[in-house]
Amino acid sequence: MTYTTHSESGTEALGAEFAKTLPAGAVVALYGDLGCGKTAFVRGMARGMGIDCVVNSPTFTIVNEYLGGEMPLFHFDMYRLGGADELYDIGWEDYLGRGGVCAVEWSENVPGAFEGDEIAVRFEKTGENDRTITIEGGPLTC
Amino acid sequence: MNILAFESSCDETAAAVVADGRTILSNEIFSQVALHEIYGGVVPEIAARSHLEVISLLADRALEKAGLARADIDAVACTYAPGLIGAVLVGVNFAKSAALALDKPLIPVHHIRGHIAANYLAYPDLEPPFLCLAISGGNTMLVDVRGYTDMRILGQTRDDAAGECFDKSARVMGLGYPGGKPIDDLSKQGDDRAYDLPRPAVNDGNPYDMSFSGLKTAVVNIAHHAQQTDEALDKPGLAASLCRAVSETLVGRTMDAAKALGYRSIAVAGGVAANSRIRADFEAACRKAGRTLYVPPLRLCGDNAAMIGAQGYYEYLAGHIAGPDLNAYATMEI
Ligand SMILES: Nc1ncnc2c1ncn2[C@@H]1O[C@H](COP(=O)(O)OP(=O)(O)OP(=O)(O)O)[C@@H](O)[C@H]1O
Ligand SMILES: [Mg+2]
């Protein structure tokens, strides 16, 4: 399913709607270039999951944990990772088993991380304030 | 009081010995930034495993450089939050065993409190209360430091950190990683009005919150546009315009807060404090407003263990001591 948003808050709203339907254990792989709105989308996801803390970029921290909602949201950013073999070092497998949702920015850097049951969300910049967002797999697709 | 301190919350592994919270006896750091430069940006690093491999070596070296024996250590401090959990755990577990083996108290330290405490090492006379702007690759935070162990976040970034904005801008400009230094160098030859960049504004809610993702995205758009149209990119001009935009935001927010809260002393902490435009603008603004500026030297701005030892001393005095059940936390309020 493809959506177009025309503002950051539009992307956040889409993220919120999307996250409301996610089951525990869902893995959301986000793809797209710098400034495409991945972090904005995850901020929306947090709101949709009833989490109201600050959601900022995990580029340096690698993972932000948001625990204030009904289930945890683990916000990853693989921007600084060199490949899937570094997943072990950041404890990736441990997070999968913690009964929350994992949202992963820069998934293109860790092609080996996913097992095929992830939901892929692809971002494309189509104008200064326009983003085309394609969601593959998961509830909003059907 | 000699504190053996450890820091391992992200990329760096470090050990240090600090006397009475103010004097550095040794400060050993193992960093993976050198690797970054070889690989050109995105690299094998942050490995909890590599923290594990070097930490005991660093501890021995810190003692040796300090000229102390194990028996001369009075307490052990470590970063316990926030950070990449696997990495933080390495420091916490090592510090625990060290405290146990030496039969000395174990002191947990918040990483950002440590960055603020770097100022105590650089300025022996600085005492709270003061206002502190903590700016690094991962943090952009304005902190009301009321006491050594009593602080409140006044405002922070809603999206990207200031250092992240520099790094990602440097990448699209083809300047390599880490990008802070090359942007700073290049900006000195550029016109800071060459590009009209947005001033990141946060209009709803907290007046001290900041935003840098709009600035990052504007630089990305300018670089891509130049690429697509084959127009030459004025890199020095873009670097200078970027430094100006970031600096005006940081300095503006900080001076506003200092005025509103009536603070005479302003401290800056974290790696981005090295940026010469930000330094110069802070110096000018503080001179004009009659406030005193504190900026630690570069080697104390980045992640290091001496700052943990400094803060650890004041945590100890406040009675903040942990048992062998101390845990590591990915997130934690300051
Ligand atoms: N329709 C839109 N949706 C989302 N963001 C938009 C939109 N239009 C403009 N923007 C701007 O684009 C930027 C998106 O930044 P964001 O940090 O969310 O991107 P990102 O994909 O996470 O980047 P990075 O690769 O650095 O992690 C923001 O500055 C936002 O204001
Ligand atoms: Mg992002």
Side-chain angles (χ1 to χ4, degrees), chain A residues 6-142:
Chain A
H6 308 286
S7 67
E8 181 168 11
S9 56
T11 297
E12 287 177 7
L14 180 65
E17 234 10 78
F18 165 75
K20 278 179 189 157
T21 54
L22 291 176
V27 174
V28 182
L30 310 170
Y31 300 89
D33 209 352
L34 287 174
C36 272
K38 301 178 293 294
T39 300
F41 186 84
V42 178
R43 186 176 306 114
M45 286 179 64
R47 302 298 175 255
M49 293 171 66
I51 297 164
D52 73 350
C53 63
V54 175
V55 171
N56 48 30
S57 169
T59 294
F60 272 77
T61 50
I62 314 286
V63 52
N64 290 347
E65 304 185 11
Y66 312 123
L67 307 175
E70 250 169 62
M71 57 178 163
L73 172 60
F74 302 114
H75 183 185
F76 286 85
D77 191 337
M78 307 304 192
Y79 182 77
R80 302 198 305 135
L81 257 61
D85 51 342
E86 287 169 49
L87 287 168
Y88 171 84
D89 298 326
I90 64 168
W92 168 246
E93 298 274 335
D94 303 337
Y95 285 98
L96 293 178
R98 282 175 64 182
V101 170
C102 292
V104 188
E105 295 193 40
W106 285 96
S107 287
E108 38 282 78
N109 283 353
V110 289
F114 309 110
E115 292 169 351
D117 54 355
E118 79 280 7
I119 303 170
V121 184
R122 298 177 199 281
F123 296 75
E124 213 185 321
K125 207 184 279 176
T126 41
E128 197 179 325
N129 295 309
D130 299 329
R131 304 289 188 271
T132 302
I133 301 167
T134 307
I135 302 177
E136 297 161 6
L140 270 200
T141 320
C142 12

Side-chain angles (χ1 to χ4, degrees), chain B residues 224-257:
Chain B
H224 283 177
H225 181 78
Q227 240 167 31
Q228 279 160 4
T229 57
D230 263 340
E231 257 170 54
L233 186 65
D234 171 12
K235 287 189 190 179
L238 187 52
S241 305
L242 175 64
C243 288
R244 175 169 161 232
V246 173
S247 179
E248 283 179 3
T249 300
L250 294 173
V251 176
R253 290 288 194 293
T254 308
M255 298 312 289
D256 286 352

